[in-house]
Amino acid sequence: MSAPDPTASIPLASRAGRWIIVGTILGSGVAFLDGSVVNVALPAIGRDTGGGFAVLQWVLDAYLLTLSSLLLLGGALGDRYGRRRVFQAGLVVFTAASLGCGLAPSGEALIVARLAQGVGGALLVPGSLALINSTIAAADRGRAVGTWAGLTGVSSALGPFVGGWLVDAVSWRWVFFINVPLAAVALFVTAKHVPETRSGHAGTPDLAGAGSVTIGLAGAIYALIELPAHGWNPLTAIALAAGIAGLVAFPIIELRTRDPILPLNLFSSRQFTGANLTTFTVYAALSGALFLLSLQLQQTLGYSALRAGVATLPITVIMLLISGRMGALAQRAGPRLPMTIGPFCCAAGLALMTLAVPGSSYLTGVLPGVVVFGLGLSITVAPLTSAVLASVEQDRAGVASGVNNAISRLAGLVAVAVLPLVAGMTEPGGTVGDGFGLAMLISAAVCALGGVLAWCTVGTRRVEVEPMPLPGLNHACQDPCTRERA
């Protein structure tokens, strides 16, 4: 067993604590920003590179595909080889891929570069939260996670605004070029101010599991996107068969692997399982709705890219004001209530977005849904993240963070592929069509399901973090491991 980590008690209010938050938020923020900034640029990308609705779906899903399928591996690599080291490697890969996206001469080249971006994101996203959990003092961890969740959420919410301005003022290519200076600053801050941490219990990386889940997701999503646009063909059939085989093989591999990429015993915790099920439903609704809302505003309501970005700016303001407080509240009072109320509030906001139809004004057709949705998201995100981390030992923080982030990205991946199909919005010309209202109502129902799942599975006890024995050891481990106390 490794020696106790001397950096696991840094106060959030200290200079060192503030630098840790700045570095991790900057690093993960570029990945979250990229996940949303592209939405508002899609019509311009489609006009410049050609292709229909399927190409626009792939510009989003290529990034989400490698990000979601490799997040688990990214978390495990950080636990084993050093969280800061893997985090920095992710920044380098992400920055290089962003340059490739901005310079892409065609839609196909852009999709390939987006796949590479997802690889970089998979290395840096789980590392950011694991670095906070392994360095910040236990008493401050809830507020630190809330601050991280709020500000990275703000970066996601800022994406449409920033993207809209760049598309209108310069070019859609600058949506990707903007990542370069942000990632460079994050790399400098983490190298200079963030301490290295690693787990004393990390095993050999599970390459077979990573390969299986990547093939499984790639094949299944390829078929879901391509079938409505082009119908059955040999390539689609092979992809679907490979996808099914990979997804079926994945749990079998994990059960037989000594150091699985996804330790299935994590799901023996009811709270861990419930929080991740809630994550899937809420983020599926979020990703699918924002993808289609951006297209609806520009293609149907005639908004410019900048105006479409400004339309969702209230989400940013609300999250900035509320998310940190929600994280602290969840640590004191328990996560169940905010994780139940938040998704229902999000569902109400999504239902209100059905008012965004031709002839409606911004004040009556768009703003009510955006405000209510932003409020619900602010209530949900920080308690959800805290609930996930509170259900595992600290040495599994990287894996737990990877699982939760993978599930959230997988939810977005599935939603962008499936929601337009279910709502009848797969027109060859790449327009939203008449299915927008139905898509918002489906997203609202999925989000409300997340609130029900949280109420049934997430604990009511407040979260404290203190030293406790690790299972299987005959003496007390002095690493601060999380547990719940009444």
Side-chain angles (χ1 to χ4, degrees):
M1 186 185 73
S2 62
D5 187 349
T7 66
S9 58
I10 298 174
L12 178 60
S14 67
R15 183 173 182 271
R18 288 193 294 269
W19 274 119
I20 291 170
I21 295 297
V22 168
T24 54
I25 286 176
L26 275 174
S28 58
V30 294
F32 286 115
L33 175 67
D34 197 85
S36 62
V37 73
V38 177
N39 280 339
V40 77
L42 287 175
I45 291 173
R47 290 191 299 268
D48 195 15
T49 63
F53 200 91
V55 171
L56 300 184
Q57 285 178 294
W58 268 114
V59 170
L60 287 183
D61 271 352
Y63 175 72
L64 292 172
L65 176 63
T66 47
L67 179 65
S68 58
S69 59
L70 296 176
L71 272 170
L72 301 176
L73 182 61
L77 290 174
D79 285 343
R80 178 176 176 82
Y81 296 111
R83 296 171 181 126
R84 186 183 67 176
R85 178 182 299 173
V86 173
F87 182 82
Q88 291 174 317
L91 282 170
V92 172
V93 173
F94 189 87
T95 303
S98 295
L99 283 172
C101 289
L103 298 172
S106 65
E108 291 76 11
L110 176 58
I111 290 170
V112 171
R114 290 282 283 169
L115 288 167
Q117 263 193 318
V119 174
L123 296 176
L124 65 89
V125 170
S128 64
L129 198 53
L131 280 169
I132 291 174
N133 205 53
S134 61
T135 57
I136 297 297
D140 295 336
R141 221 165 275 160
R143 183 169 292 277
V145 170
T147 301
W148 176 89
L151 291 179
T152 51
V154 165
S155 70
S156 296
L158 273 174
F161 171 73
V162 174
W165 176 73
L166 289 171
V167 169
D168 284 349
V170 193
S171 164
W172 64 264
R173 298 181 184 276
W174 280 90
V175 166
F176 301 104
F177 289 148
I178 195 175
N179 292 330
V180 177
L182 294 175
V185 174
L187 193 62
F188 172 79
V189 170
T190 53
K192 187 173 179 62
H193 297 287
V194 177
E196 180 65 282
T197 66
R198 58 172 53 85
S199 170
H201 308 280
T204 304
D206 177 18
L207 298 180
S212 174
V213 72
T214 302
I215 292 171
L217 290 174
I221 296 302
Y222 180 88
L224 285 171
I225 291 177
E226 292 296 313
L227 272 174
H230 303 108
W232 283 103
N233 57 58
L235 181 58
T236 303
I238 292 171
L240 181 59
I244 293 173
L247 293 176
V248 170
F250 178 63
I252 299 173
I253 292 171
E254 299 308 275
L255 287 172
R256 296 182 177 182
T257 300
R258 181 177 180 181
D259 298 302
I261 190 175
L262 175 56
L264 299 182
N265 61 0
L266 286 176
F267 292 96
S268 63
S269 165
R270 182 180 178 183
Q271 177 160 302
F272 184 83
T273 301
N276 280 292
L277 287 172
T278 303
T279 296
F280 186 88
T281 56
V282 170
Y283 278 85
L286 165 69
S287 302
L290 292 185
F291 166 58
L292 296 175
L293 177 63
S294 180
L295 293 179
Q296 175 78 348
L297 291 175
Q298 294 182 69
Q299 294 180 340
T300 306
L301 275 65
Y303 282 36
S304 67
L306 177 58
R307 191 181 173 197
V310 173
T312 58
L313 194 58
I315 298 176
T316 302
V317 177
I318 294 170
M319 293 194 71
L320 185 61
L321 294 175
I322 296 177
S323 287
R325 292 178 174 86
M326 287 296 106
L329 176 64
Q331 185 165 358
R332 293 194 305 269
R336 177 194 281 183
L337 192 58
M339 283 180 61
T340 302
I341 294 173
F344 277 104
C345 190
C346 286
L350 291 169
L352 287 171
M353 287 182 189
T354 59
L355 300 174
V357 294
S360 64
S361 69
Y362 175 73
L363 290 178
T364 60
V366 181
L367 183 61
V370 167
V371 169
V372 175
F373 181 75
L375 180 61
L377 202 61
S378 301
I379 295 171
T380 305
V381 171
L384 190 157
T385 306
S386 296
V388 169
L389 291 181
S391 61
V392 300
E393 301 93 346
Q394 186 191 331
D395 265 7
R396 310 310 295 275
V399 175
S401 174
V403 171
N404 188 245
N405 277 286
I407 287 173
S408 67
R409 304 312 145 204
L410 175 61
L413 179 69
V414 172
V416 171
V418 175
L419 184 59
L421 174 62
V422 174
M425 301 167 60
T426 54
E427 298 181 8
T431 58
V432 174
D434 298 325
F436 177 76
L438 176 59
M440 294 301 103
L441 292 177
I442 293 171
S443 297
V446 171
C447 212
L449 175 61
V452 174
L453 290 169
W455 178 260
C456 294
T457 59
V458 175
T460 59
R461 292 176 295 176
R462 67 189 180 95
V463 176
E464 291 185 1
V465 188
E466 64 178 33
M468 65 177 289
L470 286 174
L473 300 180
N474 56 12
H475 58 284
C477 169
Q478 297 303 308
D479 292 341
C481 303
T482 52
R483 70 174 176 184
E484 294 180 356
R485 292 185 61 193

